[in-house]
Amino acid sequence: MRQTSNMRLFVVLVVMVFEQLMVLTSAQSRCDPLTQYDHAGQCCTRCPPGTKMSSQSSCSNPQCTECGPHEYQDQYTTESQCKVQPYCDPNKNMEDSQPASKKKLSTCSCLMGFHCSSGECVTCVPHTTCKPGQHAKSIGNHSRDTVCESCPEGSFSTSTSWNSVCAKWTECTSGYQVREKGTHVSDIVCEKTPRHQGGLIAAAVVFGSALFVFLLACFLCRAGDTKQRAKGCLESCRGDREKLPRAPSPMLFTQVDETESDPEPRLSQEDEDMKMPEENLEEEREELLSEGVLSENGQFVTQERGKDSIQPQQETQVQTSMD
């Protein structure tokens, strides 16, 4: 009897649990899981995002109010309180990354020129500053720091900044020349090209050429100086006592009428025959000196008959003219 009673009780319990499961399953299948909720087998409406539900709300027509300042609700809810937005502390170089919204969570970002000190971004630190002669290879943002490198050849930078850039050297235009070369921290300095620079170069070339010719002439003159002086001395001792012609001075030169001037006389055959080679003049002079015909200063002397003393030819001519 007891076994029969226990068996009946077990069957009743199983039936009751099954019926309850059927009721819950049927109720859940009728309600929208996003916008509704089940209350005593009845589908009730939730409050939309950005709002909260009043405690006096009914199942079919709830009383929903908007979230307050710095609050948000990002889904349909039956809660009577909104969630609190995070506080972006300006003392930590932070700010709201976007306008405040009551329907989604706002995030904080670092002020311009700063980046997060860690992955949690609880505070922001300044970007690295690039020194003069450098530029920002990679400009920093909210999550990463600035990376600096030296300016490439042909450019320069004078600023100290986290977003510094390099500027190209100035190119000197026509009529200008480089006075100072550019560096990584300074630009090229141009100046006007002097107009007389070309004239100075030409004058220097002309002066150098003239100096070379002058030195060459001096060298050749010194090489032939001894021979020229010996030639002039021997020609002065010739019997006709001809003097070497001298170049007329430009200050004493006077213009002569070519129609009235006589043509230059030509030497006779006898005078031509009297000329002797220059190499024989020195021998002739030594012979005349030994015979007493030629004085030591190069003058011819004559000896009168009946006189033992020899007088220079110049004195003899003077006496003859006086007689």
Side-chain angles (χ1 to χ4, degrees), residues 246-256:
R246 299 178 62 185
S249 175
M251 301 298 295
L252 301 177
F253 179 77
T254 56
Q255 185 175 2
V256 181

Side-chain angles (χ1 to χ4, degrees), residues 17 41 65 83 118 124 127 133 147-148 158 194 196 202 204 212 233 238 243 248 252 258 280 285 309:
V17 171
T65 58
K83 301 176 183 178
S118 61
C124 298
H127 293 326
V147 178
C148 301
T158 59
H196 61 277
F212 174 77
C233 180
R238 290 174 50 192
K243 294 184 178 180
L252 301 177
E258 296 181 356
N280 298 330
R285 182 174 181 275
S309 60

Side-chain angles (χ1 to χ4, degrees), residues 292-314:
V293 179
L294 189 66
S295 62
E296 293 182 357
N297 58 1
Q299 299 295 331
F300 287 93
V301 295
T302 58
Q303 182 176 1
E304 295 182 2
R305 294 179 180 180
K307 294 184 178 180
D308 296 334
S309 60
I310 299 176
Q311 297 179 355
Q313 184 179 1
Q314 185 176 1

Side-chain angles (χ1 to χ4, degrees), residues 214-287:
F214 174 76
L215 295 176
L216 181 61
C218 288
F219 174 77
L220 296 177
C221 180
R222 288 181 178 275
D225 188 47
T226 304
K227 182 178 180 181
Q228 186 68 22
R229 285 183 295 181
K231 179 180 178 182
C233 180
L234 292 176
E235 289 186 354
S236 65
C237 298
R238 290 174 50 192
D240 54 2
R241 292 176 290 176
E242 288 183 350
K243 294 184 178 180
L244 291 175
R246 299 178 62 185
S249 175
M251 301 298 295
L252 301 177
F253 179 77
T254 56
Q255 185 175 2
V256 181
D257 190 0
E258 296 181 356
T259 59
E260 297 180 0
S261 62
D262 296 332
E264 182 180 359
R266 300 181 60 183
L267 297 176
S268 62
Q269 185 64 33
E270 183 179 357
D271 294 335
E272 292 288 343
D273 296 338
M274 291 178 63
K275 290 185 177 180
M276 62 179 57
E278 294 180 1
E279 58 270 13
N280 298 330
L281 292 178
E282 184 66 25
E283 297 179 0
E284 181 181 356
R285 182 174 181 275
E286 293 179 357
E287 183 178 355

